[in-house]
Amino acid sequence: MDGLETQFDETIAADQRIEPRDWMPEAYRKTLIRQIAQHAHSEIIGMQPEGNWILRAPSLRRKAILLAKVQDEAGHGMYLYAAAETLGVDREELTEKLIESKQKYSSIFNYPTLTYADIGVIGWLVDGAAICNQVPLCRCSYGPYARAMIRICKEESFHQRQGYELLLAMVNGTDAQREMVQESTNRWWWPSLMMFGPPDADSPNTQQSMAWGIKRHTNDELRQRFVDMTVPQAAALGITLPDPGLVWNEERSAHDYTEPDWTEFKAVIAGSGPCNAQRIAHRRRAHESGSWVREAAVAYAEKQAAKQEAAA
Amino acid sequence: MTKKNWPLYEVFVRGKRGLNHVHVGSLHAADDEMALHNARDVYTRRNEGVSIWVVRADHITASSPGEKDPFFAPAGDKVYRHPTFYAIPEDVPHL
Ligand SMILES: [Fe+2]
Ligand SMILES: [Fe+2]
């Protein structure tokens, strides 16, 4: 037991990866299951706000792009459930926990997509924030999670660029279209900042996660990186970020910005965001009405296997 | 009806001709054929492969990490299997 723990500590200290069949502390395993499941659920629930616009996207090109993006998010969910399963949980069990609200997903997906500009802003800000969070996870100490993140990050860049391109088209359009982009940015800015999680002082698990090499940067470090990246992108669109406190700080070589409303964040996490109930109800409906398909596929597979056995 | 979950498959993809199949992840499917289709949709949406293998996870036999040292020990003392074992003068080309 002691020898195993020493081996684990040495592997982490040497910045080597932990693999599924290695011994690991129970708390490490639990932390990873919680984080990876939460991440997988976010990808799956995240299909809903964007899926809402596939039929209404204004051209075949935009429909095809949005469809491909939403399909990617389903794929991301699958990579992540597969990574979680290497830790000894079952995907079915995780889905059940999601629809019983026993596990969480990112608070951002509890906000509604009210206009088509939201599709552009989600690609730009929400996928942009996701990229900031996810790039360091490619070096996570748990091998299967890190490898899933590498695949995901390769695909995310298309997500962000399609969103930004869509916004460029809109800001170069009519006044009404420019206003739509500004209004959408105003709504998504604060929830996007919340995607990095609570401020460091209020994030008790960060230290342990960093010691284990699961996390590489604190929430506030990543949030700062996102703000600094986004400011010139907003300028190029001719869009104002809705924070009068957002100014360049020469001394810190970084932007000062206003913290989002953390009371709202906590309320949304706790279940009272604008769309929490709708998102879970939809996921439950999809899961339950798909059950006959899953059962039929098993019945068919069993029948085929029996036939083959009889023929052999 | 008792719930039966789809079995787990491990997925291996050959990136292009001349390369080995490499493990890329896993998925659930009711049978082998569905596993291949799902593997194509989940792991090769951007032409990541020219060939896919799917294997039922419970058909794989693996070395266990507990016996890691003795299992891989035979390779440990055979450094002469590696090209760097041999000292060759720097000015000899193409070696
Ligand atoms: Fe994603
Ligand atoms: Fe994405």
Side-chain angles (χ1 to χ4, degrees), chain A residues 189-207:
Chain A
W189 173 249
W190 302 108
S192 298
L193 289 184
M194 295 175 194
M195 285 177 71
F196 299 92
D200 293 350
D202 209 8
S203 176
N205 301 324
T206 294
Q207 278 315 316

Side-chain angles (χ1 to χ4, degrees), chain A residues 43 50 69 72-73 76 122-123 126-128 130-131 134 152 155-160:
Chain A
E43 304 281 356
E50 292 183 287
K69 187 201 186 254
D72 271 353
E73 305 299 4
H76 296 175
I122 285 178
V126 176
D127 287 273
I131 292 172
Q134 290 170 350
I152 289 174
E155 301 183 347
E156 287 296 350
S157 129
F158 144 59
H159 297 179
Q160 197 187 21

Side-chain angles (χ1 to χ4, degrees), chain B residues 31-52:
Chain B
D31 58 29
D32 298 357
E33 203 186 320
M34 186 194 277
L36 264 184
H37 281 140
N38 288 356
R40 181 201 57 194
D41 292 346
V42 177
Y43 291 104
T44 62
R45 283 194 303 285
R46 288 175 175 75
N47 301 315
E48 288 94 337
V50 294
S51 157
I52 302 175

Side-chain angles (χ1 to χ4, degrees), chain A residues 39-50:
Chain A
H39 196 160
H41 297 330
S42 302
E43 304 281 356
I44 296 299
I45 295 288
M47 290 192 284
Q48 291 184 39
E50 292 183 287

Side-chain angles (χ1 to χ4, degrees), chain B residues 11-25:
Chain B
V11 182
F12 301 80
V13 171
R14 184 199 294 288
K16 57 181 181 192
R17 289 175 180 279
L19 296 181
N20 286 317
H21 284 78
V22 172
H23 182 245
V24 292

Side-chain angles (χ1 to χ4, degrees), chain A residues 21 71-72 75 78-79 82 85 90-92 96 151 155 158 294-295 297-298 301-302, chain B residues 1 3-6 8 24 26 28 30-31 34 42-43 45-46 48 62-65:
Chain A
R21 288 161 64 91
Q71 192 193 6
D72 271 353
M78 294 301 112
Y79 306 156
E85 287 196 304
D90 191 69
R91 187 178 81 191
E92 187 76 13
E96 231 113 86
R151 303 184 70 83
E155 301 183 347
F158 144 59
R294 294 191 293 275
E295 282 159 21
V298 171
E302 279 171 352
Chain B
M1 174 156 191
K3 216 167 45 177
K4 258 190 229 153
N5 291 339
W6 291 354
L8 186 69
V24 292
S26 62
H28 288 273
D31 58 29
M34 186 194 277
V42 177
Y43 291 104
R45 283 194 303 285
R46 288 175 175 75
E48 288 94 337
S63 66
S64 99

